[in-house]
């Protein structure tokens, strides 16, 4: 920890960029075997995250319920363990980002960029999500049972994003791999500049984005859709259409396909 | 002798060796992929397919951005299944270079093998910022 004096203020900082460098895990959870319940009311973002991490790593808890998350931002980030996490309430923006392995349930709503950069795991949002849900995810399932905002799955590199309701504009913008399943309607610019992957829409599409075209829905697609929606208890509208990249913007030279593999 | 240049990153080059599960199908055949991944299905492994790299069957390890070659004969029709099993053996054993880096570089306590082995050792308890000999912080920082 370092401290410098700037003007009349002493600024303390940590090389990791922690905004609350002195925060400690509150250790107020009720632990019962491999399960724990934590009341987050009145706690800061960092205290909540430290407590979750303490339970997983130090107490070997596998199933955590967080009450009163209070729609705080950046809750439940960087969880790199197999576990179950249940948030009883809503999360703000960047909720459960950078995760690898957990199975998360949020009983309320979430703000921007939920589950961004998820590597693996399952995130189920019982209500609506803001824009940029699943930004740049590389794997896992992100399930939003309500509606989602704009640019869902921007730069998606793998995994599956499911919306039980409608999706906003530019859904699948710059998508590189993976799948999106939108059970309701999709806004303007669907799949704009997507490189690869597939978007399934059960309702109306306002307009397609650049280089996005409709493709044939195969038997494998139908089987996958039925399976995924059944797992998560979402009604299958039975009217899905499939959208993919037309590949007219693919202008790679002989080296770039190999480089693409590294990127993807 | 001329150095062999690779366009892509080879997992064996990172490790300096190959691993038994790249050569012996019996070592990976019993891996339960559904149990090894979160949720009721294959989760992120659905995106993993058998690829060909430098003329060899290979699977991509996203934790190290490298290709892991597979030397045993894969039964026809089971290409993706064995690609996923070899990858899972690689991750669960901690041999992925990206996971090996955790021991030195991770900044908060976590299980070394993350979601792939919950009983693995905990690393990251004593992370310290790297220092460079002779370097001094700029004034005001």
């Amino acid at each position: 920890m370092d401290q410098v004096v700037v003007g009349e203020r002493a600024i303390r900082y940590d090389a990791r960029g922690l905004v609350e460098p002195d925060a400690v895990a509150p250790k107020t959870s009720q632990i019962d075997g491999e399960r724990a319940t934590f009341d987050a009311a009145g706690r800061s973002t960092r205290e909540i995250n430290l407590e979750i991490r303490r339970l997983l790593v130090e107490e070997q808890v596998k199933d955590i319920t967080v009450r009163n998350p209070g729609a705080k931002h950046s809750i439940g980030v960087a969880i790199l363990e197999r576990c179950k996490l249940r948030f009883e309430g809503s999360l703000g923006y960047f909720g459960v980002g950078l995760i690898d392995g957990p199975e998360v349930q949020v009983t309320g709503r979430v703000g921007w960029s939920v589950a961004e950069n998820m590597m693996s795991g399952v995130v189920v949002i019982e209500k609506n999500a803001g824009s940029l849900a699943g930004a740049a995810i590389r794997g896992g399932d992100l399930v939003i049972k309500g509606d989602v905002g704009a640019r869902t799955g921007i730069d998606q590199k793998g995994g599956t994003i499911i919306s039980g309701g409608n999706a906003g504009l530019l859904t699948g913008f710059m998508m590189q791999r993976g799948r999106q399943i939108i059970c309701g309607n999709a806004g303007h610019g669907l799949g704009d500049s997507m490189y690869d992957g597939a978007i399934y829409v059960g309702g109306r599409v306002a307009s397609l984005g650049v280089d996005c075209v409709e493709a044939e829905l195969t038997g494998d697609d139908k089987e996958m859709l039925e399976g995924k929606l059944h797992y998560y208890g979402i009604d299958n509208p039975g009217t899905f259409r499939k959208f993919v990249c037309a590949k007219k913007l693919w202008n790679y030279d002989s080296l770039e396909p190999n480089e693409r593999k590294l990127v993807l | 002798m001329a150095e062999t240049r690779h366009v892509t990153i080879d997992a064996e080059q990172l490790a300096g060796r190959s691993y038994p599960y790249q050569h012996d199908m019996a070592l990976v055949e019993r891996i339960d992929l559904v149990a090894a991944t979160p949720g009721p299905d294959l989760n992120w492994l659905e995106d993993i397919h058998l690829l060909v790299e430098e003329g060899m069957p290979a699977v991509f390890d996203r934790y190290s951005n490298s290709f892991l070659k597979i030397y045993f004969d894969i039964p026809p029709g089971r290409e993706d299944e064995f690609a996923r099993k070899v990858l899972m053996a690689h991750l669960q054993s901690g041999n992925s270079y990206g996971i090996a880096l955790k021991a030195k570089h991770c900044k908060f306590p976590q299980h070394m093998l993350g979601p792939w082995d919950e009983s693995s050792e905990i690393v990251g308890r004593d992370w310290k910022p790297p220092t460079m000999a002779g370097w001094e912080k700029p004034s005001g920082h």
Side-chain angles (χ1 to χ4, degrees):
Chain A
M1 193 79 61
D2 293 297
Q3 178 166 315
V4 295
V5 176
V6 179
E8 297 179 348
R9 290 191 306 147
I11 298 174
R12 305 182 72 245
Y13 73 95
D14 180 282
R16 289 168 287 190
L18 304 179
V19 294
E20 296 175 54
D22 296 325
V24 294
K27 299 184 179 178
T28 54
S29 299
Q30 294 179 321
I31 302 173
D32 180 12
E34 291 194 339
R35 305 183 73 162
T37 302
F38 171 55
D39 189 346
R43 299 292 179 186
S44 69
T45 292
R46 181 134 177 80
E47 286 177 322
I48 297 169
N49 286 336
L50 282 170
E51 182 69 356
I52 293 172
R53 195 166 293 150
R54 180 186 77 85
L55 291 169
L56 293 172
V57 176
E58 308 297 344
E59 304 288 349
Q60 306 293 312
V61 168
K62 303 294 180 198
D63 189 334
I64 301 173
T65 297
V66 179
R67 294 196 176 128
N68 302 307
K72 291 187 177 70
H73 308 311
S74 305
I75 297 294
V77 297
I79 304 299
L80 311 176
E81 320 276 340
R82 288 283 294 275
C83 63
K84 292 185 187 298
L85 262 176
R86 174 180 162 89
F87 292 94
E88 294 186 346
S90 298
L91 302 184
Y93 49 65
F94 291 99
V96 291
L98 300 162
I99 59 172
D100 193 1
E103 295 175 45
V104 182
Q105 182 190 23
V106 180
T107 63
R109 296 174 291 273
V110 294
W112 312 326
S113 297
V114 64
E116 53 92 18
N117 275 294
M118 172 166 59
M119 291 285 273
S120 72
V122 176
V123 177
V124 178
I125 313 298
E126 298 293 341
K127 295 182 179 175
N128 299 334
S131 297
L132 302 160
I137 68 167
R138 298 194 67 156
D141 287 356
L142 169 59
V143 182
I144 300 109
K145 294 195 173 177
D147 299 328
V148 286
R151 299 180 184 84
T152 299
I154 183 173
D155 202 21
Q156 181 178 352
K157 300 181 178 75
T160 305
I161 300 174
I162 303 173
S163 168
N166 302 321
L169 59 83
L170 290 169
T171 294
F173 182 46
M174 293 175 65
M175 178 180 184
Q176 298 175 31
R177 253 177 65 184
R179 300 178 295 223
Q180 292 195 27
I181 303 169
I182 311 297
C183 294
N185 303 325
H188 286 287
L190 180 78
D192 191 281
S193 303
M194 66 189 292
Y195 302 153
D196 209 340
I199 306 174
Y200 305 88
V201 181
R204 296 186 307 279
V205 176
S207 69
L208 295 179
V210 174
D211 213 24
C212 179
V213 295
E214 185 164 0
E216 182 187 356
L217 191 72
T218 67
D220 286 347
D221 292 326
K222 290 177 183 172
E223 186 179 341
M224 182 278 295
L225 289 165
E226 286 171 9
K228 284 287 184 189
L229 295 175
H230 177 72
Y231 286 147
Y232 297 112
I234 297 174
D235 291 338
N236 186 342
T239 52
F240 278 108
R241 297 159 67 196
K242 180 181 181 181
F243 299 90
V244 299
C245 176
K247 303 182 180 176
K248 289 181 180 171
L249 297 179
W250 280 27
N251 297 306
Y252 306 112
D253 66 21
S254 58
L255 282 180
E256 283 174 328
N258 279 324
E259 292 167 353
R260 282 189 73 251
K261 283 189 228 170
L262 289 177
V263 172
L264 297 173
Chain B
M1 197 168 78
E3 182 188 358
T4 303
R5 299 294 300 268
H6 299 272
V7 175
T8 55
I9 301 172
D10 187 330
E12 291 172 38
Q13 196 176 27
L14 289 174
R17 54 173 290 202
S18 68
Y19 297 99
Y21 46 78
Q22 293 176 257
H23 300 269
D24 187 352
M25 187 170 75
L27 296 177
V28 300
E29 195 156 19
R30 292 185 181 175
I31 291 177
D32 183 343
L33 294 176
V34 173
T37 53
D41 57 13
L42 287 177
N43 201 264
W44 67 279
L45 284 180
E46 289 173 334
D47 293 330
I48 302 298
H49 303 288
L50 186 71
L51 304 172
V52 175
E53 192 61 26
E54 296 176 335
M56 290 293 301
V59 62
F60 185 68
D61 171 16
R62 63 188 181 172
Y63 288 83
S64 59
N65 268 1
S66 65
F67 287 90
L68 185 65
K69 291 176 181 148
I70 300 173
Y71 296 101
F72 58 79
D73 292 330
I74 300 174
R78 300 176 68 185
E79 289 85 358
D80 288 350
E81 175 194 338
F82 276 100
R84 292 162 182 167
K85 287 182 173 178
V86 169
L87 176 59
M88 195 47 68
H90 195 54
L91 296 176
Q92 289 178 332
S93 61
N95 291 329
S96 171
Y97 189 67
I99 291 175
L101 289 173
K102 277 188 180 182
K104 185 175 180 184
H105 295 291
C106 68
K107 296 177 180 175
F108 55 83
Q110 59 195 273
H111 287 103
M112 174 76 178
L113 300 185
W116 316 121
D117 184 350
E118 296 152 80
S119 62
S120 59
E121 65 173 314
I122 294 173
V123 293
R125 290 190 193 277
D126 55 353
W127 180 82
K128 293 187 176 52
T131 56
M132 190 184 303
W135 182 83
E136 292 181 3
K137 290 176 184 173
S139 168
H141 288 269

